[in-house]
Amino acid sequence: MKTFKQFLGEDESPQEAREFFERECKPFIDKAQGAGVFVRGTDDKIPTLAHIKLPSGRELEVGFAKVRKDRVPKDVPIEFHNAVEGWMQNEFGISGRAGSAFVVGDAALRDVYTYGEAHVVIPQGKFKFIWSPEVNDLLDFYNNEASEHLEFDMSEGDMYAAVDEMLPAKAYRESDLPGAIKSRNEIMVECEHLLMINLGEDRAEHRAIIDEIKEVLK
């Protein structure tokens, strides 16, 4: 696996996609088992790491994004966010809320358009993940279920106790990445960097690009 600085010193001639992915994201290839890829929507400007060429001859830019480790919530109370983060750290050793990127499997591609330009997302190198087959995303869980059991003025200890009681029933797990990708549910990915491929403005082409990337990753 090469660093961002090492890539900056190379020319911009496209690399063969299969060779590039084997070098940069072998842990993901092994865990995903050909089930698909992650996607997310964002309008952030992503610096280019490399240019790759797919077997069809299509050339793509691969971006490089650092995963924040100090994320704060926009739509749920910070007390709830902290309690969920604490539970995930205790149960799985994963910073699922403050230190992870939120993605979905490519089956949920249409869902990401709300958040910005669609990207294929693959963790570079080693990564951890956590997901639930019963929770589409934490915001929905909070709004539709959890908030009914929480008080506005709860103490920190009571909030942690309430979350500790609710989350075990939701079957969160750090296994079965193929199932997570196919579920259409939120997947929290803890790693240092993400490889991000902008799928472009023509949404009619997005599925074809994703399918070709998936073939390369099998």
Side-chain angles (χ1 to χ4, degrees), residues 157-169:
D158 287 343
M159 178 67 77
Y160 272 71
V163 167
D164 284 349
E165 184 174 344
M166 287 185 287
L167 288 188

Side-chain angles (χ1 to χ4, degrees), residues 6-120:
Q6 286 173 322
F7 272 108
L8 290 178
E10 297 182 353
D11 62 45
E12 294 188 357
S13 57
Q15 305 172 51
E16 293 299 325
R18 192 178 304 277
E19 178 183 340
F20 173 83
F21 287 131
E22 281 283 340
R23 184 179 68 239
E24 298 299 319
C25 56
K26 188 64 162 58
F28 175 83
I29 294 172
D30 292 342
K31 291 181 180 181
Q33 300 175 23
V37 293
F38 300 143
V39 292
R40 70 182 297 183
T42 180
D43 286 325
D44 292 344
K45 299 302 180 184
I46 310 296
T48 299
L49 174 68
H51 295 79
I52 61 173
K53 182 168 64 176
L54 298 175
S56 67
R58 188 195 302 267
E59 295 184 10
L60 300 171
E61 288 188 358
V62 181
F64 183 79
K66 185 175 178 62
V67 177
R68 289 184 58 183
K69 302 301 177 182
D70 58 352
R71 182 183 175 278
V72 294
K74 295 179 180 179
D75 302 307
V76 300
I78 186 65
E79 295 83 2
F80 179 71
H81 165 89
N82 289 341
V84 174
E85 170 75 2
W87 182 82
M88 290 181 174
Q89 288 272 20
N90 291 335
E91 293 294 319
F92 300 100
I94 294 175
S95 179
R97 305 311 295 179
S100 288
F102 302 160
V103 299
V104 292
D106 63 271
L109 174 63
R110 291 186 179 182
D111 297 343
V112 309
Y113 293 139
T114 303
Y115 302 99
E117 296 182 352
H119 291 70
V120 165

Side-chain angles (χ1 to χ4, degrees), residues 1 36 65 79 85 87 117 121 128 133 148 166 196 213:
M1 185 175 69
E79 295 83 2
E85 170 75 2
W87 182 82
E117 296 182 352
V121 179
K128 298 179 180 179
E148 297 179 4
M166 287 185 287
M196 300 186 63
I213 293 172

